[in-house]
Amino acid sequence: MTKHSFACPDCAGKILRTPRTIGRGAIWIYRHTFSPLVGYNCRHIPTCSIYGDEAIERHGLWAGGWMTLARLLRCQPWGTLGIDNVPVTRPPRARWFLPWRYARWRGVNDRHTTN
């Protein structure tokens, strides 16, 4: 039997990914329960739930959550529409204590920050 250390990188990685996994789980539950009831009426491609899932997976719960919030607020009758991918990198001026800087509050894609 091998001795297991609490400082192993595999355990630390799983612990650090827990908030991200919970956020993505909440989106999965929404996508498979409530979303079919209200219909698929998103103004953007990809849909808002897919955008949120990808943003949280790519940037973590804090930054990805703010990106998702901004996307949800843009997805309304007078908001934006069209192709709106998750940025590949975080905005350069974004900091954890300035969370609104993670999000794109107007417009859709910036050519330099998407895949």
Side-chain angles (χ1 to χ4, degrees):
M1 179 180 254
T2 61
K3 186 175 179 181
H4 183 74
S5 170
F6 287 106
C8 76
D10 189 43
C11 295
K14 287 180 183 177
I15 291 170
L16 291 174
R17 290 186 63 82
T18 299
R20 184 179 308 209
T21 304
I22 291 169
R24 293 185 70 211
I27 292 172
W28 186 90
I29 290 170
Y30 163 78
R31 195 181 299 156
H32 291 88
T33 57
F34 189 66
S35 183
L37 296 175
V38 296
Y40 303 101
N41 299 319
C42 192
R43 298 171 53 87
H44 296 96
I45 298 172
T47 65
C48 294
S49 61
I50 293 172
Y51 182 95
D53 188 40
E54 187 177 336
I56 291 171
E57 171 62 25
R58 188 175 290 175
H59 300 292
L61 183 60
W62 184 251
W66 279 94
M67 290 175 184
T68 303
L69 174 64
R71 167 67 179 270
L72 290 171
L73 293 174
R74 289 192 319 263
C75 193
Q76 39 95 4
W78 298 277
T80 60
L81 67 138
I83 297 173
D84 184 23
N85 295 315
V86 176
V88 175
T89 59
R90 292 182 185 177
R93 296 178 50 217
R95 303 288 182 268
W96 71 269
F97 54 88
L98 300 170
W100 56 88
R101 290 188 179 173
Y102 288 116
R104 184 173 46 244
W105 298 99
R106 289 177 294 219
V108 285
N109 276 329
D110 179 12
R111 290 180 307 197
H112 304 292
T113 60
T114 59
N115 356 346

